[in-house]
């Protein structure tokens, strides 16, 4: 059912003024136009909303019941227009951010705090999904921005752009009583006999991360102890002393007290990227990109 906003405005004006002439004057249009719009509304609804009693307009039973809902609809439409204009100015609306698994939380937390301070009226929604799903949602417009981390930029559709948010070294996480915990730096060869707790490959599909990424880029073979979907559980497995892991160095601040971090000798840093669709860049996304201060130029895809 296609109900015209013009028809609703004319009906509400007539109902409140109880007079077609005064309703037309209030709306700034000719009286015949008010009559025409009201007739169209009644035809669309298949209801008689008003009837004339001499010069006075009276609401029918249906019209009286319809009036409050018509007022609500007009108010909602006005609020919708205001919300749209506010979002265009960056003063309102919602920004949905996709989060690929294993993004170091320190980068996300800092970004969200800064954005919330600068744009307090824009509501944020965070959605964690696999990287390939995140890229699809960016292209479809169901999310407006995404964060992903890896040793190399992910493959993506041509319209998806990337800005580097941060980069950091990898480290070996292991129990503080492990014989290797006191070393100043570790090499992959030092870990040949270790068993690893890792984020499952399914969660990291398309995302060269941690030990999986290193194995792809070297001939190192990691012996697995546990495969999990969450970094917190990965750290918990490492805290048992039965396994080690390769994680971003910033994860040390979230690790249990039993877990130590030792720098890993590896030339490629872990990069965290902001991904967005260049065909549609709302104000909130532009503001976050402005906040991003990469330590090196954005990677070329």
């Amino acid at each position: 059912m296609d109900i015209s906003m013009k028809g609703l405005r004319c009906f509400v004006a007539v109902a409140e003024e109880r007079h077609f002439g005064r309703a037309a004057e209030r709306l700034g249009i000719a009286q015949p136009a008010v009559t025409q719009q009201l007739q169209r509304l009644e035809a669309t609804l298949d209801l008689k909303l008003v009837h004339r009693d001499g010069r006075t307009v009276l609401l029918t039973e249906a019209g009286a019941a319809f009036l409050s809902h018509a007022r609500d609809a007009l108010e909602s439409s006005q609020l919708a227009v205001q919300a749209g204009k506010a979002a265009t100015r960056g003063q309102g609306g919602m920004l949905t951010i996709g989060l690929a698994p294993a993004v170091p939380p320190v980068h996300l937390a800092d970004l969200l705090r800064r954005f919330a301070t600068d744009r307090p009226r824009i509501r944020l929604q965070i959605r964690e999904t696999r990287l390939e799903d995140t890229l699809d949602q960016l292209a479809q417009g169901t999310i407006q921005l995404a964060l992903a981390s890896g040793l190399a930029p992910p493959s993506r559709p041509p319209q998806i752009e990337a800005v580097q948010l941060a980069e950091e070294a990898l480290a070996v996480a292991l129990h503080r009583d492990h014989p290797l915990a006191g070393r100043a730096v570790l090499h992959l060869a030092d870990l040949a006999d270790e068993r690893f707790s890792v984020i499952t490959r399914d969660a990291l599909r398309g995302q060269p991360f941690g030990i999986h990424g290193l194995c792809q880029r070297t001939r190192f073979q990691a012996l697995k102890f546990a495969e999990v979907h969450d970094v917190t559980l990965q750290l918990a497995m490492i805290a048992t002393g039965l396994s080690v892991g390769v994680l971003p160095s910033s994860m040390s601040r979230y690790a249990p007290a039993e877990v130590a971090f030792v720098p890993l000798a590896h030339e490629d840093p872990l990069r965290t990227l902001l991904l967005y669709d260049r065909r549609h860049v709302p104000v909130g996304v532009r503001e976050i990109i402005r906040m991003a201060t990469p330590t090196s130029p954005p990677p070329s895809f």
Side-chain angles (χ1 to χ4, degrees):
M1 183 179 294
D2 186 14
I3 298 177
S4 164
M5 289 294 108
K6 289 182 179 180
L8 289 179
R9 281 192 287 272
C10 288
F11 166 67
V12 170
V14 169
E16 291 178 348
E17 298 293 340
R18 294 293 197 267
H19 193 278
F20 275 85
R22 288 195 296 271
E25 183 178 354
R26 167 175 155 180
L27 295 170
I29 60 177
Q31 182 174 329
V34 174
T35 302
Q36 186 179 51
Q37 287 291 337
L38 186 55
Q39 289 173 343
R40 287 177 180 173
L41 178 63
E42 290 179 323
T44 298
L45 299 173
D46 193 23
L47 291 171
K48 186 69 174 175
L49 300 175
V50 304
H51 66 78
R52 287 174 166 168
D53 183 7
R55 292 188 174 185
T56 302
V57 175
L58 300 177
L59 293 177
T60 65
E61 186 175 352
F66 187 68
L67 179 58
S68 63
H69 297 288
R71 287 171 174 150
D72 289 343
L74 290 174
E75 182 179 1
S76 294
S77 68
Q78 184 61 33
L79 290 174
V81 171
Q82 292 173 0
K85 290 181 177 180
T88 300
R89 297 190 299 267
Q91 298 174 347
M94 176 179 289
L95 181 64
T96 304
I97 300 175
L99 185 64
V103 169
V106 62
H107 306 313
L108 177 64
D110 180 61
L111 188 68
L112 296 184
R113 280 194 297 266
R114 292 163 59 197
F115 183 81
T117 299
D118 285 7
R119 299 285 181 173
R121 295 190 178 182
I122 297 181
R123 291 182 295 139
L124 290 171
Q125 183 178 64
I126 309 300
R127 183 181 301 169
E128 184 181 24
T129 59
R130 294 186 307 181
L131 177 62
E132 57 186 14
D133 297 328
T134 297
L135 293 173
D136 287 341
Q137 292 170 19
L138 274 177
Q140 295 165 6
T142 53
I143 64 175
Q144 293 78 51
L145 186 70
L147 278 78
S149 297
L151 297 174
S155 299
R156 49 74 169 150
Q159 73 272 17
I160 304 300
E161 297 285 357
V163 171
Q164 184 170 297
L165 174 64
E167 69 175 37
E168 60 181 294
L170 292 174
V172 179
L174 66 180
H175 195 278
R176 65 186 179 188
D177 294 331
H178 192 287
L180 298 176
R183 299 273 288 270
V185 65
L186 290 171
H187 297 78
L188 281 177
D190 298 322
L191 307 174
D193 297 326
E194 301 295 334
R195 300 183 70 193
F196 286 79
S197 288
V198 302
I199 302 296
T200 178
R201 286 183 181 274
D202 180 64
L204 295 174
R205 188 179 302 169
Q207 193 176 347
F209 185 90
I211 194 63
H212 294 312
L214 292 178
C215 289
Q216 290 175 14
R217 301 163 76 87
T218 69
R219 294 183 179 181
F220 185 79
Q221 297 294 319
L223 303 174
K224 295 176 185 175
F225 169 75
E227 288 187 280
V228 299
H229 285 81
D230 179 77
V231 176
T232 302
L233 186 54
Q234 182 186 15
L235 286 168
M237 294 295 99
I238 295 168
T240 65
L242 301 175
S243 64
V244 302
V246 174
L247 291 94
S249 56
S250 65
M251 287 303 302
S252 61
R253 70 185 64 189
Y254 303 103
E258 298 86 355
V259 176
F261 276 65
V262 179
L264 177 66
H266 184 69
E267 61 184 24
D268 294 328
L270 182 79
R271 293 182 172 90
T272 297
L273 305 177
L274 298 173
L275 305 171
Y276 64 96
D277 191 331
R278 64 168 175 258
R279 299 172 302 178
H280 177 61
V281 189
V283 172
V285 172
R286 294 199 297 270
E287 180 67 12
I288 287 181
I289 292 172
R290 183 191 66 79
M291 292 177 181
T293 54
T295 56
S296 60
S300 176
F301 286 63

